[in-house]
Amino acid sequence: MTAGTATAEQAARTLAGRAHEVALCLDFDGTLSPVVDDPEAARPLHGIVDQLEPLARRFAAVAIVSGRPAAYLAEHVGVAGVRYLGLYGLQEMHEGRLQVDPRLEAALPKVTAAGASLRASTAVRDSGAWLEDKVYSVAVHTRRISDRDQWTEAIDHTAREIAEQQGLELIPGKMVWELRPAVEGDKGDAVRRVVAESGAQTVVVVGDDLGDLPAFAAVTQLANEGHGGLRVAVRSEEAPPDLLATADLVLDGPQGVLDFLRRLAA
């Protein structure tokens, strides 16, 4: 924990002391789960799930907020009392039922067409990039490509071109381009919703990628409105410098997150 063990311990002690008014919002990939070459093989680091159950009982809210589909999060975390907000908060798995923003349903034909175009494109086909079908969005992953630097520019150009053709929004990440409906909604909106619906007075956001920057911004906005907040970045070789620079606390990988959760649960 690069912010210093004492600092992390003090933050955890303070938060745990008023857990009933704290909302904890956690990213999945690179935060709870180590980054792996095969995105479908991503699983929470051993020990993390065990910490979430006591936290969900004590804290105002514990939410997994991710670009992953909500059903994926619920399947691979599976802790009662935890909220699963997928597709940056536009989906939620609640009591075994999937709730979807109706604007995503309306845009489904565009996403389907974009997926077909990507699959047929030279850049995706010849590079061996993997297409992740999230139903309401489609993502192109290059992590498994051995010569990905050779293909990055071509895939970026192809993804942007198809997104523009279909009127979709392009969300870049670490070795991934996600095409999704241009529906207003990001992790910041999801964080604000968790805080409002739980009545939390303090919010903690933990994340490791560009998509977590809006969630960090939400913490700042909520602080200006009188809430407490803590922005926690997860360090890796691929972590965006802007995220690390904005953070109040930096943890080293999912193992650092596990150690922090243990302190919160203790």
Side-chain angles (χ1 to χ4, degrees):
M1 298 188 182
T2 57
T5 300
T7 300
E9 287 180 347
Q10 181 59 48
R13 189 179 303 116
T14 300
L15 293 165
R18 44 192 174 86
H20 65 283
E21 62 181 42
V22 177
L24 181 60
C25 297
L26 304 158
D27 177 42
F28 184 79
D29 292 281
T31 298
L32 300 185
S33 166
V35 173
V36 292
D37 289 340
D38 181 358
E40 290 190 311
R43 300 291 185 271
L45 182 70
H46 179 72
I48 279 185
V49 170
D50 292 338
Q51 302 305 316
L52 295 178
E53 185 172 2
L55 292 174
R57 291 197 302 265
R58 293 175 50 214
F59 280 64
V62 174
I64 313 300
V65 184
S66 170
R68 293 272 192 176
Y72 185 98
L73 302 174
E75 177 183 357
H76 295 297
V77 177
V79 174
V82 172
R83 295 183 64 172
Y84 302 100
L85 281 71
L87 302 187
Y88 309 95
L90 295 175
Q91 280 185 335
E92 181 167 5
M93 182 65 76
H94 181 67
E95 295 182 351
R97 297 177 59 188
L98 184 62
Q99 300 173 345
V100 182
D101 189 304
R103 295 172 297 175
L104 293 185
E105 295 283 4
L108 187 56
K110 295 182 178 181
V111 175
T112 302
S117 295
L118 286 167
R119 194 169 291 106
S121 70
T122 300
V124 171
R125 185 182 64 245
D126 292 353
S127 68
W130 181 65
L131 285 184
E132 180 184 8
D133 181 4
K134 299 184 179 183
V135 181
Y136 298 103
S137 70
V138 60
V140 186
H141 295 266
T142 60
R143 186 174 296 278
R144 294 190 296 194
I145 300 176
S146 58
D147 54 348
R148 56 176 170 265
D149 290 343
Q150 174 186 338
W151 290 100
T152 295
E153 184 175 348
I155 290 175
D156 179 79
H157 175 77
T158 298
R160 292 181 186 279
E161 184 176 57
I162 292 173
E164 183 175 356
Q165 289 172 353
Q166 296 297 334
L168 297 174
E169 181 180 16
L170 181 71
I171 307 294
K174 294 181 297 189
M175 303 180 212
V176 60
W177 293 258
E178 182 168 354
L179 285 69
R180 69 171 200 173
V183 172
E184 184 176 350
D186 56 29
K187 286 191 178 183
D189 296 321
V191 166
R192 283 186 285 269
R193 188 165 89 241
V194 170
V195 170
E197 293 176 357
S198 67
Q201 297 302 307
T202 298
V203 59
V204 180
V205 168
V206 187
D208 78 311
D209 203 353
L210 292 171
D212 297 299
L213 283 170
F216 274 23
V219 173
T220 302
Q221 181 186 37
L222 287 163
N224 292 334
E225 298 169 0
H227 289 77
L230 185 71
R231 299 163 297 183
V232 182
V234 183
R235 185 196 300 278
S236 71
E237 293 180 358
E238 304 164 4
D242 288 350
L243 191 78
L244 297 174
T246 307
D248 304 305
L249 177 66
V250 179
L251 307 176
D252 285 326
Q255 181 62 53
V257 176
L258 173 58
D259 293 342
F260 186 63
L261 294 180
R262 282 173 172 160
R263 288 188 171 97
L264 289 175

